[in-house]
Amino acid sequence: QMQLVESGGGLVQAGGSLRLSCVASGGTLSDFAMGWFRQAPGKEREFVAGIIWRTGGAWYADSVRGRFTISRDIAKNTVYLQMNNLKPEDTAVYYCAASRDWGTRTSTSYDYWGQGTQVTIPS
């Protein structure tokens, strides 16, 4: 059973940066795509960024493209989300997930989920 653990969330001012980490254990990620999702109060969970573990190919939601960067460290079995120029609308709980369906933006396609980490950007 794969376990995903997110960390790195916190409170930063608008324009600041955070780097989220997601450490996977209990299995190899070579057959997976990894994704970051977020859910703000009163809103549906939305796709943020994804990466194909085997190739490093990445894709992003329009709302974060150019500000966020997803990457992975193969040796550490870790996925990162570097978030720059943060905005109040980025405030949400951020979740790491793993999917065997490469390139998907659909949350229901993901097989494993982390517990989430809170990101707060005051107005």
Side-chain angles (χ1 to χ4, degrees), residues 19-79:
R19 189 176 78 159
L20 306 183
S21 299
C22 173
V23 179
S25 61
T28 178
L29 297 177
S30 61
D31 294 327
F32 287 83
M34 301 297 296
W36 286 97
F37 291 78
R38 66 188 183 187
Q39 188 164 23
K43 296 185 177 181
E44 296 181 356
R45 186 171 299 185
E46 65 174 345
F47 169 82
V48 176
I51 186 168
I52 299 172
W53 191 263
R54 191 181 297 273
T55 68
W59 61 103
Y60 299 89
D62 291 342
S63 59
V64 306
R65 188 175 294 110
R67 298 188 297 122
F68 292 8
T69 302
I70 187 170
S71 62
R72 89 269 200 236
D73 187 322
I74 296 174
K76 296 182 178 180
N77 238 37
T78 299
V79 181

Side-chain angles (χ1 to χ4, degrees), residues 8-9 19 23 34 46 49-53 56 84 91 93 100 104 106 109 111:
R19 189 176 78 159
V23 179
M34 301 297 296
E46 65 174 345
I51 186 168
I52 299 172
W53 191 263
N84 298 326
T91 295
V93 177
R100 293 187 180 274
T104 184
T106 304
S109 297
D111 304 294

